[in-house]
């Protein structure tokens, strides 16, 4: 074989290898696990900005939302899951579907924007949810709360977006200690988790939300710094999330970066490797 022919053959083999690898990765991500990097502080202190995890897509079965969205802004690539699997959208059903449990931490597609969000399941279909003076009420009953000290973090730019935390002891200077009261919340059924409160904020008291059939109500654990179901979609919030928009359950943090870049290994938090998500 001449040299040009050999070069062409090796190039074709390389292209085939890359294509096969991408297909295998796409199938794996669609059916089994999807990587997710926590971009905001709405789930502190359960999840921190810079936590990297895999979402278990087998937890609730499959819908159009199980197809991956591919967004690479610097390359101008914006392929939405609906562009790939939109033919399956609309019936609010799932293949091999199972229901999420109250207290699950779930990644889901925003019903309007299609962006991936991660929050905690609070309200199930047919239930009522309300916040009264910072206390969560489900079906008219207050959940149990127990004081659990103070959550502290450094007041500094966090993650690739350069976000700064909200502090109960504000104002706090750059590099200072940012504090938030921490409580342990026990949901009906016995699921427990930590919640943070900065102070008396607008979403600490709401009207009564009645969750429609086939939908779920989500709230972030960092109650005063979360865009979630407490704000209707028409007002820029999440509102009620359809069953088919669930992507999967978050079970464990793989690793965590406290820096501005995920792969800056010198900024990785040594105490969060394989941390279980409760």
């Amino acid at each position: 074989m001449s040299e040009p022919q050999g070069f062409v053959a090796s190039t074709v083999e390389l292209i085939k290898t890359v294509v096969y690898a991408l297909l295998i990765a796409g199938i794996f991500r669609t059916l089994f696990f999807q990587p997710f990097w926590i971009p905001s502080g709405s789930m502190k202190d359960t999840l921190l900005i810079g936590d990297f995890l895999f979402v278990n897509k087998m937890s609730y079965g499959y819908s159009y939302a199980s197809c991956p969205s591919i967004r690479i802004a610097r390359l101008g690539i914006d392929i939405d899951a609906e562009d790939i699997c939109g033919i399956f959208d609309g019936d609010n059903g799932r293949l091999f579907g199972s229901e999420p449990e109250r207290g699950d931490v779930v990644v889901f597609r925003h019903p309007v924007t299609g962006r991936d969000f991660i929050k905690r399941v609070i309200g199930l279909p047919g239930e009522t949810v309300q916040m009264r003076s910072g206390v969560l009420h489900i079906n008219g009953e207050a959940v149990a709360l127990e004081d659990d000290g103070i959550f502290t973090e450094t007041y500094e730019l966090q993650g690739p977006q350069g976000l700064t935390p909200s502090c109960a002891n504000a104002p706090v200077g750059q590099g200072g200690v940012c504090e938030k009261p921490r409580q342990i919340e026990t949901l009906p059924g016995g699921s427990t988790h930590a919640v943070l409160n900065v102070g008396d904020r607008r979403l600490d008291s709401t009207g009564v939300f009645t969750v429609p059939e086939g939908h779920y109500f989500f709230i972030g654990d960092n109650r005063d710094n979360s865009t979630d179901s407490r704000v209707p979609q028409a007002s820029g919030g999440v509102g009620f999330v359809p069953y088919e928009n669930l992507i999967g359950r978050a079970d464990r943090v793989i690793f965590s970066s406290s820096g501005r870049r995920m792969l800056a290994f010198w900024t990785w938090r040594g105490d969060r490797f394989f941390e279980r998500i409760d």
Side-chain angles (χ1 to χ4, degrees):
M1 181 182 293
S2 65
E3 186 173 335
Q5 289 177 318
F7 174 78
V8 170
S10 62
T11 301
V12 170
E13 285 303 313
L14 176 62
I15 293 173
K16 286 168 62 178
T17 300
V18 171
V19 170
Y20 291 152
L22 290 174
L23 285 174
I24 293 171
I27 292 171
F28 182 87
R29 183 175 174 181
T30 299
L31 296 180
F32 302 111
F33 298 96
Q34 176 174 316
F36 192 83
W37 192 27
I38 303 300
S40 74
S42 69
M43 284 295 293
K44 291 177 182 176
D45 67 342
T46 303
L47 295 171
L48 304 179
I49 295 176
D51 281 352
F52 180 83
L53 49 90
F54 282 101
V55 179
N56 185 351
K57 301 183 99 169
M58 297 176 284
S59 301
Y60 310 126
Y62 304 96
S63 71
Y64 86 98
S66 301
C67 285
S69 296
I70 305 171
R71 296 186 173 97
I72 308 175
R74 60 185 174 182
L75 299 180
I77 298 175
D78 189 356
I79 303 174
D80 189 79
E82 202 168 41
D83 298 330
I84 303 171
C85 297
I87 188 174
F88 303 111
D89 182 15
D91 63 355
N92 202 24
R94 304 186 74 87
L95 182 65
F96 308 123
S98 60
E99 303 287 335
E101 296 183 6
R102 191 195 322 276
D104 284 358
V105 176
V106 176
V107 173
F108 60 89
R109 277 176 57 89
H110 189 289
V112 176
T113 68
R115 299 290 174 173
D116 292 348
F117 274 49
I118 184 165
K119 307 288 180 186
R120 190 178 298 276
V121 178
I122 296 297
L124 304 178
E127 295 184 332
T128 64
V129 179
Q130 184 182 23
M131 295 293 298
R132 300 181 193 170
S133 300
V135 179
L136 175 65
H137 288 65
I138 299 175
N139 294 327
E141 298 292 330
V143 302
L145 284 173
E146 180 182 351
D147 291 339
D148 192 45
I150 301 294
F151 171 78
T152 63
E153 59 185 331
T154 303
Y155 187 84
E156 60 185 355
L157 301 180
Q158 299 179 349
Q161 300 178 41
L163 304 175
T164 54
S166 299
C167 310
N169 59 328
V172 177
Q174 189 74 15
V177 178
C178 176
E179 300 179 349
K180 299 179 185 66
R182 185 177 189 266
Q183 296 176 299
I184 300 300
E185 183 176 80
T186 302
L187 299 175
S191 173
T192 63
H193 55 274
V195 294
L196 304 180
N197 280 293
V198 175
D200 187 15
R201 299 292 178 91
R202 178 174 61 90
L203 293 179
D204 284 339
S205 295
T206 70
V208 177
F209 301 96
T210 301
V211 186
E213 290 300 320
H215 292 71
Y216 296 87
F217 195 95
F218 288 86
I219 302 182
D221 291 348
N222 191 1
R223 292 288 160 82
D224 295 326
N225 189 28
S226 176
T227 299
D228 50 43
S229 293
R230 291 173 293 175
V231 179
Q233 295 164 16
S235 299
V238 171
F240 303 119
V241 178
Y243 180 43
E244 67 179 352
N245 281 43
L246 307 186
I247 294 175
R249 187 180 64 224
D251 294 324
R252 197 171 294 272
V253 174
I254 305 302
F255 68 88
S256 181
S257 171
S258 63
R260 304 292 298 276
R261 291 177 296 166
M262 181 175 66
L263 297 181
F265 63 88
W266 56 91
T267 66
W268 288 3
R269 301 177 176 106
D271 61 341
R272 293 190 67 77
F273 282 94
F274 305 108
E275 180 82 5
R276 179 177 172 175
I277 300 171
D278 293 319

